[in-house]
mmCIF file of all heavy atoms in Angstrom:
data_model
loop_
_atom_site.group_PDB
_atom_site.id
_atom_site.type_symbol
_atom_site.label_atom_id
_atom_site.label_comp_id
_atom_site.label_asym_id
_atom_site.label_seq_id
_atom_site.Cartn_x
_atom_site.Cartn_y
_atom_site.Cartn_z
ATOM 1 N N ASP A 115 89.010 118.531 108.603
ATOM 2 C CA ASP A 115 89.297 117.109 108.820
ATOM 3 C C ASP A 115 88.386 116.240 107.954
ATOM 4 O O ASP A 115 88.847 115.312 107.287
ATOM 5 C CB ASP A 115 89.089 116.725 110.293
ATOM 6 C CG ASP A 115 90.051 117.386 111.255
ATOM 7 O OD1 ASP A 115 91.072 117.945 110.817
ATOM 8 O OD2 ASP A 115 89.773 117.342 112.473
ATOM 9 N N VAL A 116 87.116 116.564 107.961
ATOM 10 C CA VAL A 116 86.138 115.780 107.196
ATOM 11 C C VAL A 116 86.459 115.840 105.699
ATOM 12 O O VAL A 116 86.414 114.829 105.000
ATOM 13 C CB VAL A 116 84.705 116.265 107.491
ATOM 14 C CG1 VAL A 116 83.702 115.629 106.544
ATOM 15 C CG2 VAL A 116 84.332 115.966 108.942
ATOM 16 N N LYS A 117 86.794 117.026 105.198
ATOM 17 C CA LYS A 117 87.136 117.155 103.775
ATOM 18 C C LYS A 117 88.340 116.307 103.413
ATOM 19 O O LYS A 117 88.355 115.630 102.379
ATOM 20 C CB LYS A 117 87.400 118.615 103.423
ATOM 21 C CG LYS A 117 86.160 119.473 103.405
ATOM 22 C CD LYS A 117 86.511 120.927 103.126
ATOM 23 C CE LYS A 117 85.294 121.806 103.255
ATOM 24 N NZ LYS A 117 85.627 123.240 103.126
ATOM 25 N N VAL A 118 89.363 116.317 104.260
ATOM 26 C CA VAL A 118 90.559 115.523 103.977
ATOM 27 C C VAL A 118 90.229 114.033 104.026
ATOM 28 O O VAL A 118 90.678 113.266 103.169
ATOM 29 C CB VAL A 118 91.722 115.879 104.933
ATOM 30 C CG1 VAL A 118 92.906 114.940 104.728
ATOM 31 C CG2 VAL A 118 92.155 117.329 104.723
ATOM 32 N N PHE A 119 89.431 113.612 105.015
ATOM 33 C CA PHE A 119 89.009 112.204 105.079
ATOM 34 C C PHE A 119 88.315 111.788 103.790
ATOM 35 O O PHE A 119 88.582 110.732 103.226
ATOM 36 C CB PHE A 119 88.044 111.958 106.246
ATOM 37 C CG PHE A 119 88.686 111.684 107.568
ATOM 38 C CD1 PHE A 119 88.285 112.391 108.694
ATOM 39 C CD2 PHE A 119 89.658 110.718 107.721
ATOM 40 C CE1 PHE A 119 88.857 112.144 109.926
ATOM 41 C CE2 PHE A 119 90.233 110.456 108.949
ATOM 42 C CZ PHE A 119 89.835 111.176 110.053
ATOM 43 N N LYS A 120 87.404 112.627 103.320
ATOM 44 C CA LYS A 120 86.647 112.286 102.117
ATOM 45 C C LYS A 120 87.550 112.235 100.889
ATOM 46 O O LYS A 120 87.402 111.350 100.034
ATOM 47 C CB LYS A 120 85.505 113.272 101.915
ATOM 48 C CG LYS A 120 84.394 113.082 102.930
ATOM 49 C CD LYS A 120 83.260 114.065 102.728
ATOM 50 C CE LYS A 120 82.163 113.815 103.747
ATOM 51 N NZ LYS A 120 81.031 114.732 103.554
ATOM 52 N N LEU A 121 88.473 113.162 100.779
ATOM 53 C CA LEU A 121 89.405 113.133 99.643
ATOM 54 C C LEU A 121 90.314 111.906 99.723
ATOM 55 O O LEU A 121 90.632 111.298 98.702
ATOM 56 C CB LEU A 121 90.207 114.433 99.581
ATOM 57 C CG LEU A 121 89.392 115.648 99.137
ATOM 58 C CD1 LEU A 121 90.130 116.947 99.455
ATOM 59 C CD2 LEU A 121 89.061 115.559 97.649
ATOM 60 N N ALA A 122 90.706 111.532 100.931
ATOM 61 C CA ALA A 122 91.505 110.314 101.105
ATOM 62 C C ALA A 122 90.720 109.100 100.628
ATOM 63 O O ALA A 122 91.267 108.223 99.945
ATOM 64 C CB ALA A 122 91.907 110.149 102.574
ATOM 65 N N GLU A 123 89.447 109.061 100.969
ATOM 66 C CA GLU A 123 88.594 107.959 100.506
ATOM 67 C C GLU A 123 88.537 107.894 98.986
ATOM 68 O O GLU A 123 88.604 106.821 98.396
ATOM 69 C CB GLU A 123 87.170 108.123 101.046
ATOM 70 C CG GLU A 123 86.962 107.613 102.437
ATOM 71 C CD GLU A 123 85.492 107.695 102.795
ATOM 72 O OE1 GLU A 123 85.070 108.752 103.287
ATOM 73 O OE2 GLU A 123 84.779 106.688 102.574
ATOM 74 N N LEU A 124 88.402 109.055 98.357
ATOM 75 C CA LEU A 124 88.338 109.081 96.890
ATOM 76 C C LEU A 124 89.634 108.577 96.264
ATOM 77 O O LEU A 124 89.604 107.842 95.274
ATOM 78 C CB LEU A 124 88.027 110.498 96.397
ATOM 79 C CG LEU A 124 86.616 110.993 96.683
ATOM 80 C CD1 LEU A 124 86.487 112.457 96.295
ATOM 81 C CD2 LEU A 124 85.588 110.150 95.952
ATOM 82 N N VAL A 125 90.761 108.953 96.849
ATOM 83 C CA VAL A 125 92.045 108.445 96.348
ATOM 84 C C VAL A 125 92.062 106.930 96.453
ATOM 85 O O VAL A 125 92.392 106.225 95.486
ATOM 86 C CB VAL A 125 93.245 109.048 97.113
ATOM 87 C CG1 VAL A 125 94.545 108.377 96.682
ATOM 88 C CG2 VAL A 125 93.332 110.555 96.913
ATOM 89 N N LEU A 126 91.692 106.415 97.602
ATOM 90 C CA LEU A 126 91.744 104.963 97.812
ATOM 91 C C LEU A 126 90.757 104.214 96.919
ATOM 92 O O LEU A 126 91.092 103.146 96.395
ATOM 93 C CB LEU A 126 91.499 104.629 99.289
ATOM 94 C CG LEU A 126 92.611 105.067 100.242
ATOM 95 C CD1 LEU A 126 92.224 104.772 101.683
ATOM 96 C CD2 LEU A 126 93.940 104.419 99.893
#
Side-chain angles (χ1 to χ4, degrees):
D115 295 346
V116 171
K117 288 177 186 174
V118 174
F119 275 130
K120 288 180 179 182
L121 288 165
E123 277 186 272
L124 290 173
V125 173
L126 292 176

